[in-house]
């Protein structure tokens, strides 16, 4: 398991989840260090630099890409097992896929997400902007860097919508013509959408927790959309696991949990995703 935060007094999604998993099935490799002020609960000493300007400067200066490269180096060094990334930042997935590509793997990238993280900054803002690497465009960056081809990408459970003819819609239309597949939330259970796995040998499963953001699973970083019912999603995952039983899963990740909210007793985010991961591990491998 490759989390995205260093050990500290701050709660992390890795810390909350790792204690739930069996040591017989998981080997914990430790944390990827990040600047202390980027922790979910930074120390008091870092408060002077904790502001939106510094966060944007960190991103603009490729701070996220530097962190993703740390993840890439760890995955590259793995000789056995399947890498499983836990991160509060979905763009870290780029590092895992780049390492796998360097090892000659070309998996279907099966991503569950309420948002479409394959749109340029310019398209989202509606004006010309530097397309700095972030969680909003890391899939687009993987395609640009030839880590994945559009037809290898399937984003499922999407709630995000764009006006027809808008800059984001035009970018997505081009990617769709090149083979990228998007399954919207309300269409996920129609026909069960399993045909996409038939022609692939390898699969990478990427999950943004906001795909099931709801009343009891509220602990996600971006809470602007209501996700799929956890019960329905779990049923879908159980059916999917049986369909991909004979495929080779080359990697997985679970991203964008808000550990500060997840630590509340009333929230069920951690327990829900623990169950989803256990189904995938027990049934799909």
């Amino acid at each position: 398991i490759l989390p995205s935060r260093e050990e500290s007094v701050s709660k992390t999604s890795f810390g909350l989840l790792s204690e739930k998993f069996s040591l017989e099935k998981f080997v914990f490799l430790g944390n990827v260090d990040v600047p202390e002020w980027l922790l979910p609960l930074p120390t008091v000493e870092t408060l002077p630099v904790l502001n939106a300007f510094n966060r944007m400067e960190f991103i603009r200066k490729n701070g996220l890409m530097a962190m993703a490269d740390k993840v890439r180096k760890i995955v590259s060094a793995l000789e056995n097992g399947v890498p499983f990334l836990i991160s509060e930042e979905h763009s870290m997935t780029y590092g895992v896929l780049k390492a796998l590509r360097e090892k000659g793997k070309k998996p279907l990238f099966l991503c569950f997400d309420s948002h479409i993280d394959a749109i340029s900054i310019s398209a989202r803002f509606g004006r010309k902007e530097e397309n700095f690497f972030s969680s909003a465009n890391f899939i687009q960056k993987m395609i640009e860097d030839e880590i994945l081809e559009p037809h290898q990408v399937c984003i499922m459970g999407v709630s995000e919508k764009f006006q027809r003819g808008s800059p984001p819609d035009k970018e997505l239309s081009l990617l769709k013509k090149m083979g990228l597949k998007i399954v919207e939330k309300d269409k996920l259970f129609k026909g069960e959408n399993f045909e996409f796995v038939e022609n692939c040998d390898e699969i990478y499963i990427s999950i943004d927790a906001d795909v099931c953001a709801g009343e009891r699973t509220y602990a996600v970083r971006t809470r602007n959309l209501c996700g799929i019912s956890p019960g329905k999603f779990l049923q879908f995952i159980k059916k999917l696991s049986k369909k991909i039983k004979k495929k080779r899963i080359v990697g997985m990740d679970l991203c964008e949990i808000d550990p500060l909210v997840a630590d509340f007793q009333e929230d069920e985010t951690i327990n829900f995703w623990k169950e989803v991961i256990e189904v995938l591990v027990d049934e799909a491998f």
Side-chain angles (χ1 to χ4, degrees), residues 8-11 36 38-43 46 260:
S8 78
V9 295
S10 179
K11 295 288 185 180
E36 193 172 19
L38 289 175
L39 291 167
L41 186 61
T43 62
T46 64
L260 302 184

mmCIF file of all heavy atoms in Angstrom, residues 8-11 36 38-43 46 260:
data_model
loop_
_atom_site.group_PDB
_atom_site.id
_atom_site.type_symbol
_atom_site.label_atom_id
_atom_site.label_comp_id
_atom_site.label_asym_id
_atom_site.label_seq_id
_atom_site.Cartn_x
_atom_site.Cartn_y
_atom_site.Cartn_z
ATOM 1 N N SER A 8 2.485 11.442 10.948
ATOM 2 C CA SER A 8 2.417 12.637 11.781
ATOM 3 C C SER A 8 1.188 12.499 12.670
ATOM 4 O O SER A 8 0.477 11.510 12.631
ATOM 5 C CB SER A 8 2.301 13.904 10.918
ATOM 6 O OG SER A 8 0.986 14.056 10.452
ATOM 7 N N VAL A 9 0.944 13.533 13.471
ATOM 8 C CA VAL A 9 -0.249 13.516 14.310
ATOM 9 C C VAL A 9 -1.506 13.677 13.461
ATOM 10 O O VAL A 9 -2.608 13.416 13.922
ATOM 11 C CB VAL A 9 -0.201 14.653 15.366
ATOM 12 C CG1 VAL A 9 0.933 14.423 16.327
ATOM 13 C CG2 VAL A 9 -0.073 16.020 14.692
ATOM 14 N N SER A 10 -1.337 14.098 12.225
ATOM 15 C CA SER A 10 -2.471 14.301 11.346
ATOM 16 C C SER A 10 -3.112 12.975 10.966
ATOM 17 O O SER A 10 -2.430 12.001 10.656
ATOM 18 C CB SER A 10 -2.027 15.027 10.070
ATOM 19 O OG SER A 10 -3.106 15.217 9.199
ATOM 20 N N LYS A 11 -4.428 12.931 10.982
ATOM 21 C CA LYS A 11 -5.138 11.771 10.484
ATOM 22 C C LYS A 11 -4.954 11.682 8.966
ATOM 23 O O LYS A 11 -4.968 12.698 8.269
ATOM 24 C CB LYS A 11 -6.630 11.869 10.815
ATOM 25 C CG LYS A 11 -6.949 11.831 12.295
ATOM 26 C CD LYS A 11 -6.738 10.439 12.868
ATOM 27 C CE LYS A 11 -7.164 10.375 14.321
ATOM 28 N NZ LYS A 11 -6.969 9.033 14.903
ATOM 29 N N GLU A 36 5.020 19.267 5.069
ATOM 30 C CA GLU A 36 4.155 19.130 6.241
ATOM 31 C C GLU A 36 2.905 19.996 6.160
ATOM 32 O O GLU A 36 1.845 19.618 6.644
ATOM 33 C CB GLU A 36 4.953 19.463 7.506
ATOM 34 C CG GLU A 36 4.243 19.061 8.784
ATOM 35 C CD GLU A 36 5.125 19.227 10.004
ATOM 36 O OE1 GLU A 36 6.123 19.968 9.918
ATOM 37 O OE2 GLU A 36 4.802 18.628 11.042
ATOM 38 N N LEU A 38 1.063 20.435 3.748
ATOM 39 C CA LEU A 38 0.059 19.842 2.876
ATOM 40 C C LEU A 38 -0.680 18.682 3.526
ATOM 41 O O LEU A 38 -1.561 18.080 2.915
ATOM 42 C CB LEU A 38 0.722 19.350 1.581
ATOM 43 C CG LEU A 38 1.197 20.440 0.622
ATOM 44 C CD1 LEU A 38 1.926 19.817 -0.549
ATOM 45 C CD2 LEU A 38 0.030 21.289 0.143
ATOM 46 N N LEU A 39 -0.335 18.356 4.749
ATOM 47 C CA LEU A 39 -1.026 17.295 5.465
ATOM 48 C C LEU A 39 -2.486 17.683 5.723
ATOM 49 O O LEU A 39 -2.815 18.875 5.795
ATOM 50 C CB LEU A 39 -0.331 17.012 6.796
ATOM 51 C CG LEU A 39 1.050 16.356 6.723
ATOM 52 C CD1 LEU A 39 1.746 16.419 8.080
ATOM 53 C CD2 LEU A 39 0.928 14.917 6.261
ATOM 54 N N PRO A 40 -3.365 16.697 5.855
ATOM 55 C CA PRO A 40 -4.779 17.016 6.139
ATOM 56 C C PRO A 40 -4.947 17.888 7.377
ATOM 57 O O PRO A 40 -5.828 18.738 7.432
ATOM 58 C CB PRO A 40 -5.409 15.632 6.347
ATOM 59 C CG PRO A 40 -4.562 14.722 5.523
ATOM 60 C CD PRO A 40 -3.163 15.257 5.656
ATOM 61 N N LEU A 41 -4.107 17.671 8.394
ATOM 62 C CA LEU A 41 -4.143 18.490 9.594
ATOM 63 C C LEU A 41 -2.722 18.985 9.871
ATOM 64 O O LEU A 41 -1.964 18.362 10.610
ATOM 65 C CB LEU A 41 -4.659 17.689 10.796
ATOM 66 C CG LEU A 41 -4.876 18.472 12.089
ATOM 67 C CD1 LEU A 41 -5.911 19.573 11.877
ATOM 68 C CD2 LEU A 41 -5.325 17.534 13.209
ATOM 69 N N PRO A 42 -2.322 20.099 9.249
ATOM 70 C CA PRO A 42 -0.954 20.603 9.395
ATOM 71 C C PRO A 42 -0.667 21.045 10.827
ATOM 72 O O PRO A 42 -1.577 21.336 11.609
ATOM 73 C CB PRO A 42 -0.923 21.802 8.451
ATOM 74 C CG PRO A 42 -2.096 21.629 7.544
ATOM 75 C CD PRO A 42 -3.127 20.926 8.357
ATOM 76 N N THR A 43 0.603 21.110 11.169
ATOM 77 C CA THR A 43 0.993 21.589 12.492
ATOM 78 C C THR A 43 0.805 23.094 12.581
ATOM 79 O O THR A 43 0.745 23.797 11.561
ATOM 80 C CB THR A 43 2.463 21.241 12.775
ATOM 81 O OG1 THR A 43 3.288 21.908 11.810
ATOM 82 C CG2 THR A 43 2.698 19.737 12.693
ATOM 83 N N THR A 46 3.129 25.487 10.674
ATOM 84 C CA THR A 46 3.014 25.663 9.218
ATOM 85 C C THR A 46 1.901 26.633 8.820
ATOM 86 O O THR A 46 1.760 26.952 7.638
ATOM 87 C CB THR A 46 2.736 24.312 8.531
ATOM 88 O OG1 THR A 46 1.464 23.818 8.969
ATOM 89 C CG2 THR A 46 3.822 23.296 8.860
ATOM 90 N N LEU A 260 -10.230 13.757 7.908
ATOM 91 C CA LEU A 260 -10.708 14.499 9.081
ATOM 92 C C LEU A 260 -12.205 14.271 9.291
ATOM 93 O O LEU A 260 -12.668 14.152 10.428
ATOM 94 C CB LEU A 260 -10.407 15.992 8.915
ATOM 95 C CG LEU A 260 -8.937 16.352 8.707
ATOM 96 C CD1 LEU A 260 -8.759 17.863 8.663
ATOM 97 C CD2 LEU A 260 -8.064 15.748 9.813
#
